[in-house]
Structure formats: C-alpha cells, structure tokens
Amino acid sequence: MGVLPDADDAAEQALERASAHAVRRPLAQALASLKRRDRDVLLLVAWADLTYEEVANALSIPIGTVRSRLNRARAIVRDALGSTDPTTEQTS
C-alpha cells in the first residue's frame, strides 16, 4: 500500500515546480547574456558546488578574480530575475 502525500506537501511541491518553471526562461537568458568567463565561474560555484579555490585552480585564475567575476555574474542574474539570487538557498 502506498502512502498518500500530505496535502500541504503536495501544494508546496506544486508551488516549487511553478516557481522553477517561471524562472527558467529569464534565468537561461541571463546566463546567456553573461561573458563566458563570468558564466563559467558562476556555474562552477552554483551548480558544480566548487569552492572559490577549486574554481581558481580549475580556471587557472587568482581567487580574487573568481570573487569579482562571481559578484558581477550574480548581480547581472539577480537584476534579470527581479533582484532574486538563484544561487542562494531559500528557506521557508
């Protein structure tokens, strides 16, 4: 026998899916608008979950450069998404 999902959990999951769907196109456009070097840093930190030091080593750049590129990329993406940052965890 299966367990029926809690109605609150189902509603929350539906809202999360709708929210993710709504942000998909603007996020893709924002990422496409970034310079490749800035996008690479953002993706390595946000999606590959690398540390700044690991990104610096992977791209053969100083950590300070990682920080400045990440800051610039996040600002552009945040502006494109209406001042939200998809690279930070949202808590309820």
Side-chain angles (χ1 to χ4, degrees):
M1 279 192 204
V3 176
L4 294 176
D6 184 344
D8 289 337
D9 289 341
E12 186 174 325
Q13 289 175 359
L15 284 173
E16 288 175 5
R17 282 193 304 271
S19 179
H21 182 63
V23 94
R24 186 176 296 149
R25 177 169 283 158
L27 177 58
Q29 290 172 337
L31 291 173
S33 76
L34 295 173
K35 292 181 181 178
R36 181 177 177 183
R37 63 187 189 191
D38 295 342
R39 183 175 51 247
D40 289 348
V41 169
L42 178 67
L43 296 178
L44 288 171
V45 169
W47 288 333
D49 202 27
L50 297 183
T51 66
Y52 292 2
E53 185 176 351
E54 290 169 331
V55 173
N57 289 334
L59 299 177
S60 300
I61 58 176
I63 290 178
T65 302
V66 170
R67 292 178 193 274
S68 63
R69 289 181 185 178
L70 183 60
N71 184 58
R72 183 174 35 252
R74 283 180 169 164
I76 291 168
V77 171
R78 206 172 17 250
D79 286 346
L81 298 180
S83 298
T84 59
D85 186 349
T87 66
T88 60
E89 272 190 54
Q90 306 229 351
T91 58
S92 45

